[in-house]
Short mmCIF file of all heavy atoms in Angstrom, two decimals:
data_model
loop_
_atom_site.label_atom_id
_atom_site.label_comp_id
_atom_site.label_asym_id
_atom_site.label_seq_id
_atom_site.Cartn_x
_atom_site.Cartn_y
_atom_site.Cartn_z
N GLU A 122 58.03 107.49 57.01
CA GLU A 122 58.41 106.40 58.16
C GLU A 122 57.61 105.18 58.06
O GLU A 122 57.92 104.17 58.78
CB GLU A 122 58.40 107.07 59.55
CG GLU A 122 59.12 108.29 59.66
CD GLU A 122 59.80 108.50 61.00
OE1 GLU A 122 59.32 107.89 61.94
OE2 GLU A 122 60.71 109.31 61.11
N ASN A 123 56.58 105.16 57.30
CA ASN A 123 55.57 104.08 57.18
C ASN A 123 55.09 103.52 58.49
O ASN A 123 55.20 102.39 58.61
CB ASN A 123 56.24 102.95 56.25
CG ASN A 123 56.00 103.16 54.84
OD1 ASN A 123 55.01 103.68 54.50
ND2 ASN A 123 57.12 102.86 54.06
N LEU A 124 54.69 104.43 59.35
CA LEU A 124 54.07 104.00 60.66
C LEU A 124 52.77 103.41 60.32
O LEU A 124 52.16 103.55 59.21
CB LEU A 124 53.92 105.16 61.49
CG LEU A 124 55.15 106.01 61.80
CD1 LEU A 124 54.93 107.35 62.45
CD2 LEU A 124 56.20 105.18 62.69
N ARG A 125 52.20 102.68 61.32
CA ARG A 125 50.86 102.24 61.13
C ARG A 125 49.93 103.29 60.91
O ARG A 125 49.93 104.36 61.67
CB ARG A 125 50.46 101.30 62.27
CG ARG A 125 49.46 100.29 61.95
CD ARG A 125 49.02 99.47 63.08
NE ARG A 125 50.05 98.68 63.63
CZ ARG A 125 50.20 98.08 64.68
NH1 ARG A 125 49.10 98.21 65.48
NH2 ARG A 125 51.21 97.32 65.05
N GLY A 126 48.99 103.14 59.94
CA GLY A 126 48.02 104.16 59.79
C GLY A 126 48.45 105.23 58.75
O GLY A 126 47.69 106.25 58.45
N THR A 127 49.60 105.13 58.18
CA THR A 127 50.13 106.04 57.25
C THR A 127 49.10 106.30 56.04
O THR A 127 48.93 107.52 55.69
CB THR A 127 51.53 105.62 56.60
OG1 THR A 127 52.33 105.64 57.69
CG2 THR A 127 51.95 106.57 55.50
N LYS A 128 48.51 105.19 55.57
CA LYS A 128 47.66 105.42 54.46
C LYS A 128 46.48 106.30 54.72
O LYS A 128 46.07 107.20 53.95
CB LYS A 128 47.13 104.12 54.01
CG LYS A 128 47.98 103.46 52.94
CD LYS A 128 47.32 102.30 52.21
CE LYS A 128 48.34 101.63 51.25
NZ LYS A 128 47.97 100.26 51.00
N ILE A 129 45.90 106.17 55.96
CA ILE A 129 44.79 107.03 56.42
C ILE A 129 45.16 108.34 56.53
O ILE A 129 44.61 109.44 56.05
CB ILE A 129 44.29 106.50 57.60
CG1 ILE A 129 43.66 105.01 57.53
CG2 ILE A 129 43.10 107.39 58.17
CD1 ILE A 129 43.21 104.40 58.78
N PHE A 130 46.34 108.64 57.07
CA PHE A 130 46.97 109.92 57.37
C PHE A 130 47.03 110.62 56.08
O PHE A 130 46.71 111.73 55.74
CB PHE A 130 48.22 109.96 58.10
CG PHE A 130 48.00 109.77 59.65
CD1 PHE A 130 48.69 108.84 60.35
CD2 PHE A 130 47.35 110.67 60.19
CE1 PHE A 130 48.61 108.68 61.70
CE2 PHE A 130 47.17 110.62 61.58
CZ PHE A 130 47.74 109.55 62.42
N ARG A 131 47.71 109.85 55.09
CA ARG A 131 48.00 110.44 53.78
C ARG A 131 46.63 110.84 53.02
O ARG A 131 46.51 112.06 52.63
CB ARG A 131 48.58 109.50 52.90
CG ARG A 131 49.38 110.06 51.66
CD ARG A 131 49.93 109.07 50.75
NE ARG A 131 48.88 108.24 50.10
CZ ARG A 131 49.19 107.09 49.49
NH1 ARG A 131 50.35 106.71 49.44
NH2 ARG A 131 48.15 106.36 48.93
N SER A 132 45.60 110.02 53.10
CA SER A 132 44.31 110.42 52.42
C SER A 132 43.72 111.71 53.10
O SER A 132 43.18 112.60 52.53
CB SER A 132 43.26 109.31 52.70
OG SER A 132 43.84 108.11 52.22
N ILE A 133 43.83 111.72 54.47
CA ILE A 133 43.39 112.94 55.14
C ILE A 133 44.18 114.23 54.72
O ILE A 133 43.56 115.26 54.46
CB ILE A 133 43.35 112.78 56.65
CG1 ILE A 133 42.34 111.56 57.15
CG2 ILE A 133 43.12 114.06 57.39
CD1 ILE A 133 42.34 111.16 58.55
N LEU A 134 45.42 113.99 54.74
CA LEU A 134 46.24 115.22 54.54
C LEU A 134 46.08 115.77 52.98
O LEU A 134 46.33 117.00 52.81
CB LEU A 134 47.77 114.92 54.77
CG LEU A 134 48.01 114.61 56.19
CD1 LEU A 134 49.60 114.22 56.41
CD2 LEU A 134 47.72 115.77 57.15
N ILE A 135 45.79 114.87 52.16
CA ILE A 135 45.62 115.16 50.82
C ILE A 135 44.29 116.04 50.57
O ILE A 135 44.27 116.91 49.75
CB ILE A 135 45.53 113.97 49.78
CG1 ILE A 135 47.10 113.43 49.79
CG2 ILE A 135 45.05 114.24 48.50
CD1 ILE A 135 47.06 112.22 48.98
N THR A 136 43.33 115.73 51.33
CA THR A 136 41.99 116.25 51.09
C THR A 136 41.91 117.73 50.93
O THR A 136 41.33 118.18 49.79
CB THR A 136 41.06 116.04 52.37
OG1 THR A 136 41.26 114.68 52.66
CG2 THR A 136 39.58 116.33 52.00
N PRO A 137 42.55 118.70 51.56
CA PRO A 137 42.54 120.07 51.32
C PRO A 137 42.81 120.53 49.83
O PRO A 137 42.05 121.33 49.38
CB PRO A 137 43.52 120.61 52.16
CG PRO A 137 43.68 119.75 53.30
CD PRO A 137 43.46 118.35 52.67
N MET A 138 43.80 119.78 49.23
CA MET A 138 44.15 120.31 47.82
C MET A 138 43.01 119.92 46.80
O MET A 138 43.05 120.43 45.68
CB MET A 138 45.47 119.80 47.47
CG MET A 138 45.51 118.34 47.09
SD MET A 138 47.18 117.82 46.62
CE MET A 138 47.56 118.52 45.09
N LEU A 139 42.11 119.11 47.19
CA LEU A 139 40.93 118.72 46.18
C LEU A 139 39.76 119.56 46.28
O LEU A 139 38.95 119.55 45.46
CB LEU A 139 40.62 117.29 46.44
CG LEU A 139 41.66 116.27 46.23
CD1 LEU A 139 41.30 114.84 46.99
CD2 LEU A 139 41.97 115.96 44.79
N LEU A 140 39.62 120.32 47.41
CA LEU A 140 38.41 121.04 47.65
C LEU A 140 38.19 122.30 46.84
O LEU A 140 39.30 122.92 46.49
CB LEU A 140 38.43 121.42 49.18
CG LEU A 140 38.39 120.16 50.06
CD1 LEU A 140 38.33 120.53 51.47
CD2 LEU A 140 37.24 119.07 49.71
N THR A 141 37.17 122.77 46.54
CA THR A 141 36.74 123.84 45.75
C THR A 141 37.37 125.09 46.30
O THR A 141 36.96 125.40 47.44
CB THR A 141 35.26 124.14 45.59
OG1 THR A 141 34.62 122.68 45.24
CG2 THR A 141 34.90 125.04 44.60
N PRO A 142 38.37 125.82 45.71
CA PRO A 142 38.97 126.89 46.49
C PRO A 142 38.00 128.00 46.84
O PRO A 142 38.13 128.59 47.92
CB PRO A 142 39.89 127.41 45.38
CG PRO A 142 40.10 126.36 44.53
CD PRO A 142 38.94 125.41 44.50
N VAL A 143 36.92 128.17 45.99
CA VAL A 143 35.94 129.26 46.40
C VAL A 143 35.26 128.93 47.71
O VAL A 143 35.11 129.69 48.64
CB VAL A 143 34.85 129.42 45.31
CG1 VAL A 143 33.79 130.28 45.77
CG2 VAL A 143 35.52 129.96 44.06
#
Side-chain angles (χ1 to χ4, degrees):
Chain A
E122 303 216 341
N123 273 325
L124 303 169
R125 200 177 301 162
T127 292
K128 271 194 182 158
I129 297 169
F130 280 125
R131 199 185 63 192
S132 312
I133 294 175
L134 293 179
I135 286 173
T136 313
M138 73 182 287
L139 300 163
L140 302 180
T141 317
V143 172

